[in-house]
Amino acid sequence: MSIAENRRARFDYHLEEQHEAGMVLHGWEIKAIRAGQVQLTDGYVVIRDGELFLIGCRINALRSASTHVSPEADRTKKLLMHKEEIKRLIGKVEQKGFTLVPLDLHYKGGRVKASIALAKGKAEHDKRNSVKEKDWEREKGRLMRHKVSGGKA
């Protein structure tokens, strides 16, 4: 079940491979995520000291958050993956010009996981082609529905 999705990532990047990573979260963040107070559109993944961190994932604290906790909405979250996977991702990012982008947050076995992807940025003309293809698919669907409903009348 998806919690939050980064639709912008599929528009701005060519996605090569997808991976799943666990997240280190505080209790107030889990409660806010369950209440739907999460935004992933400006998020990106950075590599520091051989570890992955998610930056720009905004989790707005609930009003009923505990008084002894000072919630920080844009806190950097550590991503958890096997060391071999992280090393392989680091190699691709450093050598081949890939970047790591978060695609979505979802539940798996009661835990919050992040789907991240190795991606390359799209050029402006690629983005225009994506928009044209999407518009054509939408128009084709409209024509087919109209043809089907028109033929039965």
Side-chain angles (χ1 to χ4, degrees):
M1 179 179 146
S2 182
I3 301 167
E5 191 176 354
N6 185 0
R7 291 189 179 138
R8 193 97 190 128
R10 295 185 194 284
F11 180 74
D12 287 340
Y13 298 96
H14 291 289
L15 304 179
E16 298 295 323
E17 10 177 302
Q18 292 186 25
H19 298 277
E20 187 176 68
M23 294 179 69
V24 177
L25 297 170
H26 293 174
W28 67 267
E29 290 175 319
I30 294 293
K31 289 180 181 180
I33 287 172
R34 290 188 193 279
Q37 298 294 316
V38 62
Q39 187 177 23
L40 195 61
T41 53
D42 297 328
Y44 59 97
V45 179
V46 296
I47 301 167
R48 287 190 208 135
D49 301 326
E51 295 178 329
L52 302 176
F53 293 92
L54 178 61
I55 297 177
C57 173
R58 185 172 187 81
I59 300 175
N60 296 320
L62 299 174
R63 294 187 192 276
S64 60
S66 182
T67 55
H68 69 279
V69 175
S70 57
E72 187 182 334
D74 293 324
R75 187 179 73 84
T76 300
K77 292 136 191 81
K78 184 176 178 181
L79 296 177
L80 306 171
M81 291 178 78
H82 290 286
K83 191 164 279 202
E84 294 79 29
E85 283 184 287
I86 293 175
K87 284 180 183 175
R88 202 172 65 72
L89 289 176
I90 289 172
K92 287 196 174 186
V93 167
E94 289 176 351
Q95 292 174 356
K96 298 181 182 173
F98 284 104
T99 186
L100 289 169
V101 294
L103 298 179
D104 72 346
L105 299 179
H106 59 275
Y107 294 114
K108 183 174 182 183
R111 303 198 189 283
V112 176
K113 302 283 185 175
S115 292
I116 60 174
L118 268 172
K120 283 195 175 185
K122 282 186 181 177
E124 198 63 38
H125 62 88
D126 290 335
K127 292 180 187 179
R128 283 194 295 269
N129 287 341
S130 295
V131 171
K132 282 181 188 175
E133 288 173 16
K134 193 185 299 183
D135 286 346
W136 168 240
E137 288 299 320
R138 192 178 308 124
E139 185 64 26
K140 195 165 54 172
R142 269 193 215 121
L143 291 171
M144 293 300 287
R145 278 195 306 273
H146 183 68
K147 183 178 178 183
V148 169
S149 64
K152 291 181 180 177

